[in-house]
Amino acid sequence: MSIKIDNVSYTYMKKTPYERTALNEVSLTIEKGEYVAVIGHTGSGKSTLMQHFNGLLNPDSGSVRVDGIDINAKGEQAKSARGRVGMVFQYPEHQIFAETVYEDIAFGPRNKGFSEEEAEKQVRAAMKFVGLDYESYAKRSPFQLSGGQMRRVAIAGVVAMAPDYLILDEPSAGLDPSSRDSIFQEISRVYKKREIAVILVTHSMEEAAQYADRLLVLAKGKIAVDGKTHEVFKSQRDMLKSVGVDVPQTVKLADVLREQGLAIEADVIKPSELVRQIIKAKGWR
Amino acid sequence: MLTDITLGQYYPGKSVIHRLDPRTKILGALVYIVAVFLAAEPVSYIAATSFLFLVIAFSGLPFLLVFKSIKPLWVIILLTMSIHLFTGQGEVIWTWQFLSVTREGLALGIKMSLRLVLLLMISSVLTFTTSPIVLTDGIEALLKPFKRFGVPAHELAMMMTIALRFIPTLLEETDRIMKAQTARGADFASGNLLKRAQNLLPILVPLFISAFRRADELATAMEARCYRGGEGRTRMHELSYRWQDGAAGAAVASLMAVIAFLKWGAAV
Ligand SMILES: Nc1ncnc2c1ncn2[C@@H]1O[C@H](COP(=O)(O)OP(=O)(O)OP(=O)(O)O)[C@@H](O)[C@H]1O
Ligand SMILES: [Mg+2]
């Protein structure tokens, strides 16, 4: 059970003066059950790569397989394979169209062929997932909600389709810290419960360090680094710098503490890990 | 994809034609079009066609790109051709069942469709070699003398600039929304007409909302920067003629003169 990308290249506006190669012979495999963060400088091809995962873009060369099925082929099988990949776009609130929150979230499940009963169940679960109370929001017009609430509706619309692979393209851009945390916590919960794969595109190294097990760094349409989050932040710092990516604040803080003579181990990337190390180094407990 | 539409697109370059003053190019294209419609003799058409080829050569545009601009109207061109072909009066040169082609019909058909082709191609050379902003600057400058008669030159140009500026943005937006809804399993290609129209709602609603939002934001941004219409406004790039403009003008004028002479002068 995996998404497998093989030698994929993609060029925008081919054969015009605006031609631009966004992906250059990228190969990678993402297994079900993985939590992958995709980082990289703006314009490095992250969104382009994501759109290959569910067949929104067809590669110029190479192939994309979901659970072994070529998703760019024709036919029902490929369509259902594409349906297993859920995609939350950058600024997903701009795709909302229905008269009520309920109708908008139910759009995906209905298209996927869920019965009305199942759809309702999915909508309820998805609204709970994003922290919107069903009774008070389901019948409201989505256009009278705040930006952050609209974002939640849009994310719920994708989660309600019960995807096996959930792609989130910068889901936290423009959200307040508490909504951001609650959404990420719910994602982690569903991720553990249903053993789906989560692919998170983000510009926040802290989010990547906190939630992802695996880190994928894109640079100029190629994969610059692919490895365990701890490993990458520990041993590839020069590489990260050269492609315009930083390390999490925690890592920098650990550097400062180390300079001050505290014995902090090298693979600390999360705040909780750092706290544990400080306590240990100081012999407080 | 939607963004592949070429009509009216700018093709960046540094050729002589690219760097001509937009007023020269607009007036030149207009004179050329009038000349093409005046053309009567085959020689005139040869002259007009060679002139176009010369312009394309000077502009450095790929010929095929310019030729493709007739694509949206090829049906009409073909129709023009066949109507004249089969309805002409005169010497019959070919018959099949009830259809007959006359020498005069053939000549007229070729003339008429050639006129359309030349017209489309010269207009696309104009838009390929002139960026939209410069083009509207040119139009504004040309319309200025008519201000006295109540033509709102600046406002028209500003409206055009804004519209041109937002066409690619809206196409991109449409593309994005279509993708997002496709990812949610929307299907735009199947079902009967009513069903298909209904299926468009998930695209149209967000598109309109975003268009209105953009319009609103733009209006606010313009007001915040004290935009008050064209009165007393100066510009960053003043248009100015150079010697190349004179040469280009002379070239178009000579073409016009030749065609006019062939039409009227020969008879006198
Ligand atoms: N629709 C498009 N048409 C033309 N070029 C495009 C288009 N979309 C993206 N590009 C180009 O492809 C390259 C990769 O873009 P992409 O959107 O994948 O970057 P990204 O890594 O997601 O950036 P960001 O962090 O800003 O979202 C960029 O150089 C961009 O200019
Ligand atoms: Mg992006």
Side-chain angles (χ1 to χ4, degrees):
Chain A
M1 293 307 216
S2 64
I3 298 184
K4 194 168 160 53
I5 287 211
D6 203 22
N7 259 316
V8 163
S9 299
Y10 188 84
T11 304
Y12 283 105
M13 320 268 280
K14 246 192 312 272
K15 294 190 197 130
T16 72
Y18 306 101
E19 183 170 286
R20 170 122 212 181
T21 300
L23 286 182
N24 197 346
E25 305 198 334
V26 174
S27 298
L28 83 135
T29 306
I30 292 173
E31 299 287 341
K32 225 169 145 185
E34 279 191 293
Y35 199 134
V36 188
V38 181
I39 59 178
H41 202 262
T42 175
S44 56
K46 302 182 296 293
S47 300
T48 309
L49 180 62
M50 295 308 118
Q51 290 173 42
H52 280 84
F53 286 148
N54 63 348
L56 288 175
L57 291 177
N58 288 354
D60 293 334
S61 63
S63 69
V64 183
R65 291 173 180 280
V66 173
D67 300 340
I69 298 161
D70 183 351
I71 60 167
N72 295 305
K74 287 200 164 50
E76 283 304 309
Q77 226 191 358
K79 195 176 164 195
S80 105
R82 285 196 293 270
R84 267 171 254 161
V85 185
M87 168 108 182
V88 177
F89 276 80
Q90 265 174 311
Y91 297 101
E93 56 271 29
H94 294 166
Q95 75 199 32
I96 289 175
F97 70 96
E99 279 167 63
T100 66
V101 169
Y102 180 92
E103 288 298 310
D104 202 88
I105 300 177
F107 181 67
R110 280 181 192 151
N111 285 332
K112 227 180 153 180
F114 286 24
S115 72
E116 203 48 50
E117 259 165 58
E118 284 172 315
E120 191 188 326
K121 224 175 84 197
Q122 288 296 332
V123 173
R124 279 181 187 273
M127 285 184 69
K128 188 147 171 270
F129 174 90
V130 295
L132 288 173
D133 180 42
Y134 184 89
E135 303 306 327
S136 40
Y137 285 101
K139 294 280 167 292
R140 281 178 63 175
S141 160
F143 300 109
Q144 288 163 0
L145 302 178
S146 77
Q149 288 167 331
M150 281 168 81
R151 174 82 53 91
R152 287 158 183 242
V153 172
I155 294 178
V158 175
V159 171
M161 295 171 74
D164 291 339
Y165 306 89
L166 180 61
I167 301 171
L168 301 131
D169 199 345
E170 295 184 42
S172 61
L175 278 190
D176 67 278
S178 80
S179 323
R180 201 171 57 206
D181 289 348
S182 75
I183 285 180
F184 275 116
Q185 255 147 36
E186 286 300 324
I187 292 171
S188 294
R189 212 173 52 80
V190 170
Y191 157 71
K192 288 195 186 108
K193 191 172 141 210
R194 295 197 33 236
E195 294 180 341
I196 60 175
V198 174
I199 304 164
L200 170 70
V201 177
T202 181
H203 281 292
S204 155
M205 298 307 126
E206 287 71 35
E207 279 173 13
Q210 185 66 39
Y211 301 107
D213 309 319
R214 177 175 164 194
L215 203 59
L216 211 69
V217 185
L218 281 189
K220 300 204 176 115
K222 280 182 177 288
I223 295 181
V225 185
D226 178 0
K228 289 230 178 316
T229 315
H230 278 92
E231 282 300 313
V232 175
F233 281 140
K234 180 175 129 195
S235 50
Q236 304 263 17
R237 290 178 71 166
D238 293 336
M239 178 59 159
L240 292 180
K241 197 166 211 166
S242 72
V243 297
V245 179
D246 212 350
V247 292
Q249 289 296 332
T250 316
V251 176
K252 292 185 192 164
L253 189 56
D255 284 348
V256 176
L257 290 171
R258 232 172 269 129
E259 271 167 36
Q260 299 292 322
L262 229 57
I264 308 280
E265 280 171 24
D267 65 346
V268 167
I269 58 171
K270 299 182 193 179
S272 58
E273 294 168 346
L274 183 60
V275 169
R276 229 174 296 135
Q277 291 276 323
I278 295 174
I279 292 173
K280 210 173 110 199
K282 281 289 199 182
W284 283 336
R285 206 176 286 159
Chain B
M1 277 288 119
L2 284 166
T3 36
D4 290 343
I5 297 169
T6 56
L7 187 78
Q9 239 180 27
Y10 178 51
Y11 191 96
K14 288 196 161 55
S15 74
V16 200
I17 308 283
H18 279 87
R19 287 184 300 153
L20 284 179
D21 189 284
R23 291 170 290 182
T24 313
K25 282 191 267 189
I26 297 170
L27 288 179
L30 283 177
V31 171
Y32 180 86
I33 290 169
V34 173
V36 166
F37 276 90
L38 287 181
E41 310 297 316
V43 192
S44 308
Y45 281 96
I46 292 170
T49 312
S50 337
F51 186 83
L52 179 73
F53 276 89
L54 215 62
V55 173
I56 296 176
F58 270 118
S59 73
L61 297 170
F63 177 77
L64 220 61
L65 179 81
V66 182
F67 190 70
K68 268 198 202 140
S69 62
I70 68 167
K71 215 163 99 188
L73 286 185
W74 70 269
V75 179
I76 294 180
I77 292 169
L78 224 65
L79 211 67
T80 312
M81 182 80 183
S82 34
I83 287 175
H84 286 292
L85 206 58
F86 295 120
T87 58
Q89 307 287 318
E91 181 192 342
V92 175
I93 51 173
W94 184 80
T95 46
W96 179 74
Q97 307 229 343
F98 61 93
L99 292 174
S100 60
V101 174
T102 63
R103 181 181 298 279
E104 287 75 7
L106 179 67
L108 203 62
I110 292 178
K111 264 187 206 169
M112 286 302 175
S113 35
L114 190 60
R115 272 181 190 175
L116 279 176
V117 171
L118 291 179
L119 188 152
L120 283 171
M121 284 174 71
I122 196 78
S123 327
S124 64
V125 169
L126 174 65
T127 52
F128 275 136
T129 59
T130 320
S131 81
I133 302 295
V134 175
L135 196 63
T136 43
D137 275 359
I139 292 174
E140 182 177 353
L142 289 173
L143 284 180
K144 221 171 226 159
F146 299 100
K147 244 185 172 162
R148 263 182 294 162
F149 312 112
V151 176
H154 171 78
E155 284 71 17
L156 280 177
M158 182 56 91
M159 270 162 58
M160 261 185 70
T161 310
I162 293 175
L164 284 169
R165 158 68 186 75
F166 278 100
I167 287 171
T169 312
L170 285 181
L171 283 177
E172 251 169 56
E173 188 87 13
T174 315
D175 205 45
R176 242 171 54 90
I177 296 171
M178 271 176 85
K179 276 183 182 167
Q181 308 300 25
T182 312
R184 293 212 278 163
D187 185 1
F188 305 117
S190 59
N192 59 28
L193 213 58
L194 186 70
K195 187 91 189 96
R196 279 195 208 190
Q198 263 177 2
N199 288 349
L200 283 182
L201 274 186
I203 295 176
L204 292 181
V205 173
L207 192 62
F208 272 93
I209 290 175
S210 107
F212 282 123
R213 191 186 57 235
R214 276 181 205 283
D216 208 42
E217 282 169 2
L218 182 68
T220 313
M222 284 169 78
E223 275 185 1
R225 294 188 217 168
C226 307
Y227 178 76
R228 290 277 175 281
E231 226 36 67
R233 220 175 138 77
T234 55
R235 35 183 66 255
M236 183 153 146
H237 301 288
E238 293 285 348
L239 296 177
S240 64
Y241 291 116
R242 298 178 308 151
W243 68 265
Q244 286 92 336
D245 293 292
V252 185
S254 352
L255 177 76
M256 185 63 165
V258 167
I259 288 174
F261 177 78
L262 286 173
K263 190 174 169 76
W264 293 303
V268 177

